[in-house]
Amino acid sequence: MRRGQVTESKNIAIETVNLMRHVISISRWDNVEQLTMLIKAVGRKLIKALPRELLIVNVLCRLLRIVAEESESVEFVEDSWSARRTRESASPRGAETPAMGVGTGAPGALMRTLTEQVSGRFDVETMTLLGFKKNILNEINVYISELDNIEDDIAKNALEYIHSNEIILTCGRSLTVEKFLLKAAGKRKFHVIVTECAPTYEGHEQAKALASSPNIEVVVIPDSAVFAIMSRVNKVILGTRAVMANGGLIAVSGTHMVAAAAHHHSTQVVVCAGPYKHSPWFPFNDDRFNALVSPDAVLPYREGDLVNNVDVISPRYDYVPPELVDIFVDSMGGHLPSYLYRLLQENYGDAKDLAWNIYDS
């Protein structure tokens, strides 16, 4: 990740989960606390390699949530054994011990009782630990499968938001938005306007992918024409890198301009994002999770005299405030930005409170 070999958001999430699954399976830990500390320790190393990547902490919080859910059954097994041990110690068999001075067969009975208790305790601990690890790995495999199919699951809701002969505007390159639009194109014809998203020009790649469908008429426009064309647009469909806890977006540069123009023209803004992009962090500092790329595409270095007299800043992402977003669409359907807190609680539980601790430690 530090070398930039893994850049797609879903690939980063999957690679993080695969690494954590491998670490959990080969590492030796004896209880939930040790496993939690192990996940957090490896997570800090990943964050150090890519400190601005929100998806890593999202995945870590989800894994901690899985551990917390599975640990409840482990505690139940231990409590059941403790209750059984209490019942055995209170049974009449205890009256046959030599300490009570009753029965000539008391030593044998006492030995059998102690053997059963020790054997039972060993079996419960061994089965609990192995069963706990097995359940954790099974849940992680389910989570990986969910990540693999996330775009297709989101695309199942496409027909509820895209209607025939509508004019849709999108920004940049997003595999989730691409499959969302292509799914709707299977039954309906509509128009798509794609902003070129300079200076990376990712919009051209998105337009080529959408043009493969005969039911989609694709037009690529320069970023400067967004406001002028927005009055003719029926709906804006965007992808995002991450969704902050307040409903704001960390999206490709140029997204804020599109969302602001749509808000001015009262055009609905729909954001397609899987649950793994929901971040438990609030954007107290808009630049903390941003990154600057080479400005050569904006102002080439061959412009020597001009380059020496100006400072050119080329951010990779935009922060889009939640008031510019109308609805989020994920694998479970559509949600308002005000409902995001509930989704965070369902996905991460109390583990979301550890996000800043993992990052800053």
Side-chain angles (χ1 to χ4, degrees):
M1 290 188 292
R2 182 180 297 175
R3 296 175 180 175
Q5 297 177 351
V6 182
T7 57
E8 291 290 337
S9 57
K10 187 180 78 170
N11 293 338
I12 291 177
I14 292 178
E15 290 298 327
T16 303
V17 178
N18 284 331
L19 175 61
M20 297 307 302
R21 179 180 60 179
H22 179 70
V23 171
I24 292 174
S25 62
I26 67 173
S27 300
R28 183 174 181 178
W29 40 270
D30 299 326
N31 50 54
V32 178
E33 290 74 15
Q34 292 182 7
L35 176 58
T36 301
M37 294 298 294
L38 175 65
I39 294 176
K40 294 170 68 174
V42 178
R44 292 188 186 100
K45 295 181 180 180
L46 293 176
I47 293 173
K48 186 177 181 181
L50 207 60
R52 299 181 184 272
E53 185 54 68
L54 291 165
L55 297 175
I56 296 177
V57 175
N58 298 352
V59 170
L60 293 176
C61 289
R62 179 57 182 162
L63 294 179
L64 291 174
R65 170 68 168 177
I66 293 174
V67 172
E69 290 178 344
E70 293 299 325
S71 64
E72 295 177 359
S73 61
V74 174
E75 294 176 357
F76 175 78
V77 172
E78 293 178 350
D79 291 342
S80 299
W81 182 88
S82 300
R84 188 185 69 180
R85 181 180 62 176
T86 302
R87 290 194 301 268
E88 290 178 351
S89 62
S91 64
R93 183 184 300 175
E96 299 179 0
T97 61
M100 299 298 295
V102 179
T104 57
L110 176 62
M111 184 60 67
R112 287 194 300 272
T113 301
L114 294 175
T115 302
E116 291 175 359
Q117 290 182 357
V118 174
S119 300
R121 182 63 175 173
F122 180 80
D123 292 341
V124 169
E125 283 189 345
T126 303
M127 293 179 62
T128 299
L129 183 60
L130 295 179
F132 179 63
K133 176 180 282 190
K134 181 179 179 181
N135 291 341
I136 290 293
L137 295 178
N138 288 339
E139 289 297 325
I140 292 177
N141 291 334
V142 172
Y143 185 44
I144 293 176
S145 178
E146 176 185 335
L147 293 175
D148 286 332
N149 303 319
I150 191 66
E151 289 93 354
D152 295 330
D153 293 337
I154 295 176
K156 294 178 182 179
N157 303 305
L159 296 178
E160 299 179 11
Y161 298 94
I162 299 177
H163 308 286
S164 298
N165 300 320
E166 278 192 332
I167 298 178
I168 309 296
L169 188 142
T170 186
C171 177
R173 173 71 165 161
S174 172
L175 182 60
T176 304
V177 174
E178 175 188 329
K179 291 191 175 183
F180 191 82
L181 296 174
L182 291 176
K183 182 69 175 181
K187 294 186 177 181
R188 293 170 183 170
K189 293 184 178 181
F190 51 91
H191 305 266
V192 176
I193 300 174
V194 184
T195 63
E196 61 181 4
C197 199
T200 60
Y201 299 101
E202 297 176 354
H204 293 274
E205 299 178 8
Q206 183 83 321
K208 291 179 182 179
L210 296 176
S212 62
S213 174
N215 290 336
I216 301 180
E217 295 186 14
V218 185
V219 177
V220 180
I221 63 172
D223 299 329
S224 58
V226 168
F227 191 86
I229 202 70
M230 188 60 69
S231 60
R232 301 181 58 187
V233 174
N234 300 112
K235 193 180 280 88
V236 174
I237 299 180
L238 301 173
T240 183
R241 185 72 173 187
V243 181
M244 308 303 291
N246 66 336
L249 308 179
I250 302 295
V252 65
S253 182
T255 305
H256 183 273
M257 175 184 61
V258 173
H263 182 74
H264 178 82
H265 289 87
S266 299
T267 303
Q268 186 182 37
V269 176
V270 179
V271 177
C272 298
Y276 72 97
K277 293 186 178 182
H278 295 169
S279 173
W281 284 338
F282 288 88
F284 297 114
N285 185 350
D286 297 351
D287 296 329
R288 179 171 187 176
F289 306 114
N290 207 335
L292 300 179
V293 296
S294 173
D296 180 65
V298 179
L299 185 64
Y301 288 106
R302 61 177 176 269
E303 303 291 341
D305 296 337
L306 184 60
V307 169
N308 294 330
N309 297 321
V310 298
D311 293 328
V312 181
I313 299 177
S314 181
R316 178 176 296 175
Y317 303 114
D318 278 349
Y319 170 70
V320 181
E323 54 267 20
L324 300 183
V325 178
D326 294 303
I327 191 169
F328 290 97
V329 179
D330 58 18
S331 55
M332 297 178 290
H335 310 284
L336 296 175
S338 59
Y339 188 73
L340 192 62
Y341 78 96
R342 181 61 182 175
L343 298 178
L344 292 175
Q345 183 64 29
E346 292 177 357
N347 290 333
Y348 305 138
D350 295 335
K352 67 181 186 299
D353 299 329
L354 301 175
W356 289 107
N357 178 265
I358 294 174
Y359 188 91
D360 296 328
S361 299

